[in-house]
Amino acid sequence: VLEPPGPGPYRTVVMLHGRYGDEEVMWIFKNATPVNWLKIAPRGIVPEARGYSWHPQEYGTWPELPAFDPAVEAIADFLTALPRVYNADPGQLYLMGFSQGAAVSYATAMRHPGLVQAIAGLVGFVPGACAAHQDLRGLAELPIFMAVGQKDPLVPREQALGCAETLLQANSELCYHEYDTGHKLNAQGIRDLQAWWRKF
């Protein structure tokens, strides 16, 4: 937790790590977010052989939306507790997820429309088969920053393009960026992410 000065309530960004990560790894992105916001990085709910995850996903698979429900409910409970615990502004809650953390961010917005005000999805994916769910309405008009690595071996560009199409079909306010990199965000990506956060 990084608490800003002043009494609050605070605009809040919750940073969700990817598979095999933990609550420490997302702080590399803290300077890409607005200075005077409350910043929080929770730990994934599934212990792995190394690190933690939000869902025990097998390599190369794309879990469907219901597979993320346990993680979604944990995150929703976490978000609703933040105003009481850290004086977060309940009307100014934002998610930033990396890889699988991006997937569970999208899933949270779909399952709980209106709970979050925007999502930054970094080299991640949209849960599969979500087009068949009415939950796509939770993405309508939601500002979304989507960063894609053109050489990403874990979330290939073709997969990311399909996910972007789903977000567009859901009528989200998609800000799509591709970068000449792998499964990470390069310096230009950080600059673009900073510029996007400044809109809020």
Side-chain angles (χ1 to χ4, degrees), residues 136-147:
L136 279 177
R137 64 190 171 87
L139 301 173
E141 301 181 2
L142 187 70
I144 294 174
F145 179 93
M146 185 177 184

Side-chain angles (χ1 to χ4, degrees), residues 57-124:
Q57 174 183 346
E58 294 184 15
Y59 177 78
T61 64
W62 309 107
E64 297 185 358
L65 183 58
F68 286 102
D69 282 348
V72 165
E73 293 314 306
I75 291 167
D77 289 346
F78 185 81
L79 291 171
T80 55
L82 292 180
R84 182 182 74 253
V85 179
Y86 290 110
N87 202 14
D89 185 339
Q92 298 286 343
L93 300 175
Y94 303 82
L95 292 177
M96 180 166 62
F98 182 87
S99 193
Q100 193 185 81
V104 77
S105 296
Y106 297 135
T108 299
M110 286 188 274
R111 291 301 202 201
H112 294 273
L115 181 59
V116 298
Q117 280 60 62
I119 293 172
L122 312 179
V123 294

Side-chain angles (χ1 to χ4, degrees), residues 174-189:
L174 181 62
C175 182
Y176 179 90
H177 292 271
E178 287 189 9
Y179 303 101
D180 184 21
T181 187
H183 195 63
K184 60 183 180 180
L185 204 61
N186 61 14
Q188 183 59 54

